[in-house]
Amino acid sequence: MNDAPAADRPNAQEFEAYLDAIRRLVAEKLIPAEPSLDGQETLPEDLTSRLRDAGLFGISIPTRHGGLGLSMEQQVRVMFEVTRASSVYRARFSTTIGLGSQPILYNGTEAQRQEWLPRMASGEVTAAFCLTEPENGSDAGGLRTSARREGDHFILNGTKRYITNARQAQVFIVMARTDPNSRDAAGISAFIVPAGTPGLRCGPADTKMGQDGPATSEVYFDDVRVPAANLIGGREGGGFKTAMRGINHARLHVAVTCVGQAQRLIEEALAYALHRKQFGQPLAEFQLVQAMLADSRAETLAARSMVLETARAFDAAGEAQGPLVADIACCKLFASEMVSRVADRAVQIHGGAGYMRGTAVERLYRDVRLFRIFEGASQIQQLLIARDMIKGAARWV
Ligand SMILES: Cc1cc2nc3c(=O)[nH]c(=O)nc-3n(C[C@H](O)[C@H](O)[C@H](O)COP(=O)(O)OP(=O)(O)OC[C@H]3O[C@@H](n4cnc5c(N)ncnc54)[C@H](O)[C@@H]3O)c2cc1C
């Protein structure tokens, strides 16, 4: 359902002009404002408006639903640029472009698409994606939030944890168990729950290691009555597959983010190494420092190449994304581990300055640690990749 026909997408010239505008936004507004985000619980409205005005909430939504209708390759190229700035900016709209909109785009009814996608694309509506629970993180298929049918409504009860943008969201995509006798993913359904529905409440903002700006929080569902028309796709039991549409998109975008952040870390480390002198010469002249810079560049290029190739395969696959799940997991695994190494080297090159609050690499170091944990921790990606190899062993041996 990545259904923007090629003719609806910006042509090559229009796309390059758009990329240039994004580069200017990053250099002139987003990077300079980064220090002001320290300790913030929300991204200030003037910066959110800039993301909205740049169309970033709509990059993954087809033009017929009000978005820019970019191909995955184009989305990736835009996000390489955006994520040279703090990944906090990306977090403000990522839950809408991936986890929020893609389940509705691919698996929703036409009425659900018409109701929600145009407002998501414009950034009027922020979506939050509610899968993780206090007792179920990696084992998301075992989630406990229940959705009990009562006539033409469902009644939702349960608690979700670490939900990004929950406190800003106008709509929640909620995974809940509709089959009380099931214990696995087969009994899960996905619901659209508007903010303000009685019984839906967010907890206080979590205090995090990094990613100051968009808050995460718990979300509580106490007898929340949701019309059956809000069941995504109108069918019970397909919720986990629906969630995977968003998660696949999000995992590839996390990999892109790791590349953008690594690029930025290299720029910061190189600039510092060129100007800081020890033993009478710039750090960049020392071969041991050069090795750290070179390894970081090589690994970033490797991740960038993986992501671009997988994005092209994603575009070619259209509806049939199933075979790409393991390749997307490879991108997420490699890129998130890679950016942690690059961040560690960037701090090392900065010496004591890299350990001090207020230095860009110190903030980036804390921010990128997240990418090995959420959207499926590295160990879960490894399991996914290996299971795919074992299932398709004939292809490998
Ligand atoms: C800042 C932030 C934002 C988030 N945003 C959202 C959001 O918007 N929506 C949402 O639904 N969730 C969100 N999450 C939740 C996130 O996806 C989970 O934290 C993640 O899936 C891991 O779950 P967990 O924290 O319960 O860790 P656990 O599942 O308890 O895992 C702990 C450790 O054990 C390892 N482990 C678990 N199972 C296995 C296994 N079978 N084999 C080997 N190792 C294993 C994991 O890899 C990890 O290292 C967010 C989390 C954070 C920190």
Side-chain angles (χ1 to χ4, degrees), residues 76 80 252 255-256 258-260 262-263 266 293-312 327-339 341-342 345:
V76 161
F80 282 152
L252 194 51
V256 180
C258 295
V259 174
Q263 183 61 40
I266 291 170
L293 290 169
D295 285 352
S296 294
R297 179 171 168 179
E299 290 192 58
T300 303
L301 178 60
R304 187 184 169 90
S305 308
M306 284 172 81
V307 167
L308 272 171
E309 175 162 328
T310 306
R312 288 182 193 122
D327 285 355
I328 291 173
C330 288
C331 292
K332 202 281 182 173
L333 171 66
F334 182 79
S336 60
E337 296 285 334
M338 175 280 293
V339 75
R341 292 190 292 272
V342 171
R345 291 182 199 119

Side-chain angles (χ1 to χ4, degrees), residues 249-386:
H249 187 280
R251 282 183 182 158
L252 194 51
H253 271 243
V254 170
V256 180
T257 304
C258 295
V259 174
Q261 294 279 276
Q263 183 61 40
R264 171 71 181 286
L265 283 155
I266 291 170
E267 288 163 19
E268 296 284 345
L270 179 60
Y272 191 81
L274 286 170
H275 110 267
R276 167 83 175 164
K277 286 191 175 146
Q278 286 296 284
F279 303 97
Q281 61 188 54
L283 298 177
E285 297 293 324
F286 298 116
Q287 289 183 340
L288 295 176
V289 172
Q290 289 175 0
M292 287 194 271
L293 290 169
D295 285 352
S296 294
R297 179 171 168 179
E299 290 192 58
T300 303
L301 178 60
R304 187 184 169 90
S305 308
M306 284 172 81
V307 167
L308 272 171
E309 175 162 328
T310 306
R312 288 182 193 122
F314 189 101
D315 288 331
E319 283 279 321
Q321 290 169 15
L324 284 173
V325 168
D327 285 355
I328 291 173
C330 288
C331 292
K332 202 281 182 173
L333 171 66
F334 182 79
S336 60
E337 296 285 334
M338 175 280 293
V339 75
S340 271
R341 292 190 292 272
V342 171
D344 191 70
R345 291 182 199 119
V347 169
Q348 194 68 16
I349 289 170
H350 277 69
Y355 199 71
M356 295 295 145
R357 284 282 154 102
T359 309
V361 295
E362 183 273 336
R363 188 183 319 107
L364 290 160
Y365 178 85
R366 287 183 287 114
D367 286 350
V368 302
R369 186 61 184 84
L370 172 65
F371 301 133
R372 289 157 61 194
I373 297 172
F374 80 163
E375 310 293 3
S378 289
Q379 291 70 31
I380 300 307
Q381 308 303 329
Q382 288 172 317
L383 293 178
L384 228 155
I385 296 161

